[in-house]
Amino acid sequence: MINTITLGRPYAKAAFEFASTAGQADAWLAMLSFSAAAVQTPEVAQQLGNPALTSEQKVKMLAQMCSGYVDDTFISFLSTLSSNDRLSLLPVVLKQFTVLKAEAESTLDVEVQTAFELTAEQLQTLAAALSKRLARTVQPKPVVNAALIGGLLIRAGDLVIDSSVRGKLNKLAEALKS
């Protein structure tokens, strides 16, 4: 069985190429977000899975739900998805579109977990250091996690930097077990 990420990748790439060429990447991100949220609701998912509806009827239903939030070119994109029975992939396409947009803009969302809330100055200093190390503009998302005890845990895509007290205690425990 083919992975949904594999199925959604060409649609996300095509959507991003079209949107970035047209200078509408932000608008397309918003339209994808809205339509992806719509197809995840149980009622809409049930209608999209209804074999009695044609692909045009499914697109028309989704376009009516998203009326005012999508434009004609996006509806054409939905038609392409629907004709290939891929409307349920919109959340996957959204996720991959977001990654492509971040790569193109050289930005990276970074989750910063700390035991205590960071000040704006500390967060800005950390973002500057991470931006320098990762050669990208870093957008930190602070999360307070008291279980860390102290220090911080940074998740930037596949990179994880654990300088928390909890992480160091876990490493020490592993070393003592060996």
Side-chain angles (χ1 to χ4, degrees):
M1 184 170 171
I2 295 180
N3 186 338
T4 57
I5 294 171
T6 304
L7 290 173
R9 185 176 296 122
Y11 296 103
K13 187 175 180 184
F16 180 73
E17 286 175 3
F18 174 81
S20 60
T21 301
Q24 297 180 332
D26 290 331
W28 270 69
L29 181 61
M31 291 186 283
L32 276 169
S33 297
F34 193 82
S35 59
V39 301
Q40 288 180 309
T41 60
E43 297 84 12
V44 175
Q46 183 180 14
Q47 287 290 1
L48 293 178
N50 185 350
L53 293 178
T54 65
S55 65
E56 294 84 18
Q57 290 171 321
K58 292 175 184 179
V59 170
K60 187 175 180 180
M61 176 197 65
L62 193 56
Q64 285 175 342
M65 287 186 62
C66 300
S67 179
Y69 295 97
V70 296
D71 63 17
D72 291 337
T73 56
F74 189 78
I75 293 172
S76 294
F77 176 70
L78 292 177
S79 293
T80 301
L81 284 172
S82 184
S83 66
N84 294 308
D85 198 27
R86 302 284 192 247
L87 282 173
S88 62
L89 290 178
L90 276 168
V92 174
V93 172
L94 168 63
K95 203 176 272 189
Q96 291 181 355
F97 185 95
T98 304
V99 169
L100 290 169
K101 185 176 181 296
E103 285 176 3
E105 295 173 349
S106 292
T107 61
L108 183 63
D109 289 334
V110 175
E111 180 182 285
V112 179
Q113 291 185 24
T114 57
F116 305 98
E117 194 166 333
L118 294 175
T119 66
E121 184 180 324
Q122 290 171 323
L123 204 54
Q124 187 177 16
T125 304
L126 182 62
L130 286 171
S131 292
K132 185 176 179 181
R133 178 173 179 193
L134 301 173
R136 289 181 158 196
T137 303
V138 170
Q139 315 237 335
K141 308 264 189 222
V143 176
V144 176
N145 181 354
L148 295 179
I149 304 171
L152 47 95
L153 176 70
I154 300 169
R155 293 179 196 271
D158 294 340
L159 175 68
V160 176
I161 302 171
D162 187 356
S163 65
S164 67
V165 173
R166 171 70 59 203
K168 290 177 181 176
L169 288 173
N170 288 341
K171 286 180 188 173
L172 180 61
E174 285 295 319
L176 290 173
K177 288 179 185 177
S178 303

